[in-house]
Amino acid sequence: MLTSINGRSVLVTGGSRGIGRGIARVFSRQGAKVMIAARGRDDAQSAVDELTGAGATAAAVQCDVSDWTSVREAVAHTAETFGGIDILCANAGIFPQTKLVDLDPDEWDRVMATNLKSAFLSVKACIPHFEAAGKGRVVLTSSITGPVTGYPGWAHYGASKAGQLGFLRTAAMELARYNTTINAVMPGNIVTEGLDGLGEDYLRTMAASIPLKRLGAVEDIGNAVLFFASDEAAYITGQHLVIDGGQTLPESLEAIANI
Ligand code: NAP
């Protein structure tokens, strides 16, 4: 199953921690060559050490996904290192939590640039490589927050994640001529270093509100990304998949209390 990933070149933005690191782990277990892109060198090197220690081919490149020059260089470096780019996992993101009344316009811009503009920049930079290969795959990491749900303090974050889905539909049409698909995963609450920072209370309340009664694991997202990136998913494009343990299903507190 999904043997098509073996030997493919994969760029994972935000692959140094959390969901991105989980995606990198899942792809490398399938024999893919994985490039980790992030700003921080230490976490990226630690991710590479983990993957290569398990026998995989992996490397890291320093990159700020909100900056066009940086993204172009990271994509070029990946193509040079691995002989092309087959799969882009545009995953890097930030989620500072600030209510509207306190939200500084600069923070709004920073969230938009890191989470939304970055999707455009990384896809744009990869197009020549998909064109050269005659095929390609893009998987965006969106969220349930924004496209499906709201949460106080995350107006900017939710707008950026909903914006990714708007971007995806037109991008899917334009990428089709390069035989390239683009889809999005929409994680619920996944246990990562980033989410840990939100505190014990947040994590406990969230787990209680999920029908499957646990937060997600990074590999839960990695496995869905792997499917979208596979040859087996060749005819799926412009779509999104919620992976949230059923969190967005209950209509009321009573509904979740009664299962
Ligand atoms: P995380 O643990 O904080 O990791 C974020 C990753 O993104 C790190 O590798 C970080 O590395 C990188 N990154 C952040 N800003 C960057 C920038 N400007 N340029 C390059 N890399 C950057 O976060 P996470 O929880 O894994 O979240 C990953 C993605 O999943 C995000 O898009 C997030 O919105 C989405 N998501 C997460 C959850 C969840 O429950 N965790 C739920 C829904 C969606 P550096 O800081 O070193 O650059």
Side-chain angles (χ1 to χ4, degrees):
M1 181 65 174
L2 308 185
T3 49
S4 54
I5 299 301
N6 189 37
R8 297 268 162 95
S9 161
V10 187
L11 172 59
V12 184
T13 71
S16 64
R17 298 196 304 267
I19 290 177
R21 190 155 171 165
I23 293 171
R25 205 176 283 141
V26 165
F27 275 90
S28 66
R29 281 181 197 148
Q30 300 291 323
K33 299 175 281 191
V34 178
M35 182 66 73
I36 305 281
R39 293 165 305 175
R41 288 177 196 272
D42 291 351
D43 286 341
Q45 192 52 49
S46 141
V48 169
D49 291 346
E50 180 197 326
L51 301 181
T52 54
T57 301
V61 62
Q62 201 173 17
C63 173
D64 179 347
V65 291
S66 65
D67 180 82
W68 174 227
T69 303
S70 182
V71 170
R72 247 187 338 193
E73 286 173 2
V75 165
H77 178 73
T78 305
E80 271 167 37
T81 307
F82 293 151
I85 297 186
D86 299 304
I87 299 159
L88 165 67
C89 301
N91 162 84
I94 53 173
F95 34 95
Q97 199 173 6
T98 314
K99 289 190 179 162
L100 292 176
V101 68
D102 298 318
L103 183 54
D104 188 280
D106 287 344
E107 182 176 311
W108 174 279
D109 289 345
R110 192 162 56 87
V111 167
M112 286 297 162
T114 308
N115 296 358
L116 179 55
K117 183 181 174 191
S118 62
F120 153 60
L121 296 181
S122 56
V123 167
K124 180 177 171 65
C126 284
I127 286 175
H129 302 286
F130 297 147
E131 186 172 20
K135 61 182 164 51
R137 289 281 186 278
V138 181
V139 186
L140 308 180
T141 305
S142 176
S143 178
I144 56 169
T145 309
V148 183
T149 62
Y151 202 100
W154 277 328
H156 49 354
Y157 176 75
S160 72
K161 292 292 161 179
Q164 287 182 330
L165 300 188
F167 166 75
L168 155 81
R169 295 191 180 95
T170 293
M173 296 173 68
E174 294 189 19
L175 291 175
R177 67 179 298 175
Y178 310 111
N179 191 26
T180 293
T181 68
I182 176 168
N183 294 287
V185 290
M186 297 160 69
N189 282 264
I190 309 302
V191 182
T192 63
E193 296 88 331
L195 203 78
D196 273 349
L198 299 175
E200 264 300 308
D201 277 356
Y202 176 91
L203 299 178
R204 204 176 25 252
T205 314
M206 273 301 166
S209 72
I210 297 170
L212 286 176
K213 295 296 176 205
R214 67 169 177 91
L215 301 183
V218 291
E219 286 82 0
D220 291 324
I221 307 306
N223 287 326
V225 174
L226 179 69
F227 171 67
F228 277 135
S230 69
D231 283 359
E232 287 80 354
Y235 205 53
I236 304 172
T237 195
Q239 304 304 309
H240 51 268
L241 180 65
V242 171
I243 304 140
D244 71 347
Q247 184 178 346
T248 50
L249 298 176
E251 289 186 15
S252 67
L253 290 173
E254 200 191 4
I256 186 77
N258 282 335
I259 59 172

